[in-house]
Amino acid sequence: MSLALYLHWPFCLRKCPYCDFNSHVRDRFDPSAWEQALLADLAFEAELTGGREISSIFFGGGTPSLMPPALVARIIDQAAKLWRFADDIEVTLEANPSSVEASRFADLALAGVNRVSLGLQALDDQTLKFLGRLHSVAESLDALAIAQSHFSRVSFDLIYARPGQTPESWQAELTQALSYGTGHLSLYQLTIEPGTQFATLVRQGKLVPQDDDAAAELFALTREMTAAAGLPAYEISNHARPGEESRHNLTYWRYGDYIGVGPGAHGRRLGVATVRHKKPENFLKAVEEQGQGLCETRALGQREQAAEAVMMGLRLAEGIRPAALAGRFGLTQDQLIVPAKRRFYREMGYLEEADAGTDAHVMRVTERGMAVLDGLLGELVPEELVA
């Protein structure tokens, strides 16, 4: 089975008020030190997984478009020496749509990046300011045009269900977004994450999030509009033309093996969960002292893996194959999914599946069920799998 490779670049120019990702603001960094550390971290993982095929590479962050293109090229070249690359390997890099970063797109394409994910986040300047973004809408659209001229596959992100946002304003914004012709959109509801600036503002009563009913209406509108435009939701927050889905993220949702390299990166490979040191300085020190940046490795039990596979797989429109999944982890279907809840939610129209119990049999969450997915998963997965 092929592998996915995730590489985390931890630096940003500013910490956004909604962001709980592992990102850090630094005045300067040493490109040479980071090249040595990241290549050493790669080599360590290759000792465990070398010989396998890499189907995708994803540079995430932070802001990986701040990486020197030469460093991106060096990492891709080294990965090609350590593993076998699939003929159609997908190499994605997340980018902010600033003019400075867009000026690097040509060099990033030459380095081997063939897919870019742009963090536009909104299509009006007032909202961008509210979200703490440093770019303007005009700058965003210029960067999008440059990206589309250099990369065969381009995606961009928007955040909706913002305070005070109406269905009419979101419909207009999403209509504009769909007009740009990208094959993939990531559309996320604004969530208030613990430890963020927005969480502090909510606690102080200075920010009032959308209520659940209003957010649900916007969620339904989003799925209706993207489906009509030929970019249906293939995952709860991700929409694509058929064949343009993110292959890298599909590895996560289909519970395949993936390697995580760089500060704070998580991995799942060979039945082991891995975590790297989050703070950049601690990561560099760990690699210098032990040849890799790990701060935690934990063997995953079959039951824990089964629970994760169900919860990840049911996020997808394609669903899961319960019989095949149960067999993969040495369980029965009744141990994998609570039988009574399975019947109840099928009768309620939240799940759909045929009666056959073969390995090819598929269970999917319906449109109605996707609106309450978190609650659904909490009841379908047996407590003993997640305890």
Side-chain angles (χ1 to χ4, degrees):
M1 185 180 294
S2 61
L3 277 169
L5 170 61
Y6 175 81
L7 189 135
H8 192 83
W9 183 254
F11 301 118
C12 283
L13 295 177
R14 178 196 287 178
K15 185 77 172 180
C16 294
Y18 58 86
C19 178
D20 69 337
F21 293 162
N22 184 39
S23 59
H24 304 264
V25 178
R26 298 287 187 271
D27 291 335
R28 62 183 62 87
F29 61 86
D30 181 352
S32 176
W34 279 95
E35 177 176 322
Q36 292 176 36
L38 292 171
L39 294 180
D41 219 18
L42 279 178
F44 172 79
E45 290 291 333
E47 290 180 6
L48 300 172
T49 59
R52 292 178 64 178
E53 181 179 86
I54 295 283
S55 59
S56 65
I57 301 174
F58 195 103
F59 291 86
T63 309
S65 50
L66 295 174
M67 295 177 72
L71 176 54
V72 174
R74 185 80 176 90
I75 290 167
I76 294 171
D77 289 346
Q78 186 65 13
K81 295 174 183 175
L82 295 171
W83 293 276
R84 292 180 293 109
F85 276 10
D87 292 339
D88 60 347
I89 188 169
E90 174 189 271
V91 183
T92 301
L93 184 136
E94 290 182 332
N96 276 340
S98 74
S99 56
V100 171
E101 288 152 277
S103 68
R104 301 177 180 181
F105 287 172
D107 288 337
L108 288 168
L110 289 173
V113 175
N114 55 29
R115 182 178 183 272
V116 162
S117 177
L118 293 173
L120 270 63
Q121 310 307 4
L123 294 175
D124 73 88
D125 287 329
Q126 184 177 353
T127 300
L128 288 174
K129 185 177 180 180
F130 162 73
L131 293 172
R133 306 299 287 173
L134 294 173
H135 60 271
S136 66
V137 172
E139 204 171 15
S140 290
L141 299 183
D142 286 345
L144 176 60
I146 294 169
Q148 289 176 309
S149 72
H150 287 295
F151 304 101
S152 58
R153 299 174 64 204
V154 176
S155 175
F156 64 86
D157 299 358
L158 293 177
I159 295 174
Y160 71 102
R162 308 182 296 253
Q165 188 175 39
T166 65
E168 292 75 20
S169 65
W170 175 232
Q171 183 175 26
E173 188 172 2
L174 185 51
T175 297
Q176 182 182 351
L178 289 164
S179 74
Y180 297 130
T182 62
H184 190 285
L185 291 174
S186 295
L187 306 172
Y188 301 108
Q189 291 194 18
L190 178 63
T191 54
I192 307 301
E193 302 291 352
T196 62
Q197 184 182 338
F198 274 180
T200 300
L201 293 176
V202 169
R203 190 169 61 251
Q204 295 171 344
K206 297 177 181 179
L207 178 64
V208 180
Q210 286 267 19
D211 64 39
D212 290 344
D213 289 343
E217 184 178 358
L218 295 176
F219 176 77
L221 176 62
T222 301
R223 295 174 74 88
E224 178 184 335
M225 290 181 63
T226 54
L231 280 77
Y234 69 96
E235 190 268 346
I236 192 164
S237 299
N238 287 274
H239 309 253
R241 282 195 292 262
E244 298 239 10
E245 300 86 354
S246 168
R247 297 172 207 159
H248 184 86
N249 288 334
L250 281 173
T251 297
Y252 299 158
W253 296 319
R254 290 170 175 166
Y255 209 65
D257 275 6
Y258 61 96
I259 294 164
V261 166
H266 289 244
R268 291 282 192 280
R269 40 86 169 138
L270 306 172
V272 174
T274 65
V275 185
R276 258 65 185 177
H277 286 276
K278 291 182 69 173
K279 188 176 179 181
E281 293 78 11
N282 292 348
F283 172 81
L284 289 177
K285 183 179 180 182
V287 175
E288 181 181 354
E289 292 179 351
Q290 60 195 32
Q292 38 84 2
L294 285 166
C295 66
E296 180 184 335
T297 59
R298 183 172 60 86
L300 297 166
Q302 292 288 86
R303 290 175 175 270
E304 182 180 0
Q305 292 184 67
E308 289 183 343
V310 171
M311 290 189 286
M312 296 295 279
L314 286 178
R315 297 174 62 92
L316 291 168
E318 70 185 22
I320 62 172
R321 290 180 167 82
L325 209 54
R328 174 180 170 183
F329 297 110
L331 303 173
T332 67
Q333 288 195 52
D334 287 353
Q335 291 173 313
L336 186 72
I337 301 166
V338 179
K341 296 296 184 181
R342 181 176 180 174
R343 289 191 299 270
F344 175 74
Y345 285 118
R346 190 170 57 210
E347 291 168 1
M348 291 288 291
Y350 291 122
L351 293 175
E352 61 182 15
E353 54 182 322
D355 291 331
T358 66
D359 284 358
H361 164 61
V362 173
M363 172 193 288
R364 300 183 185 89
V365 176
T366 63
E367 278 292 307
R368 185 181 179 191
M370 281 292 180
V372 292
L373 180 63
D374 287 345
L376 202 64
L377 294 177
E379 296 210 11
L380 286 172
V381 178
E383 289 185 7
E384 54 267 29
L385 292 189
V386 296

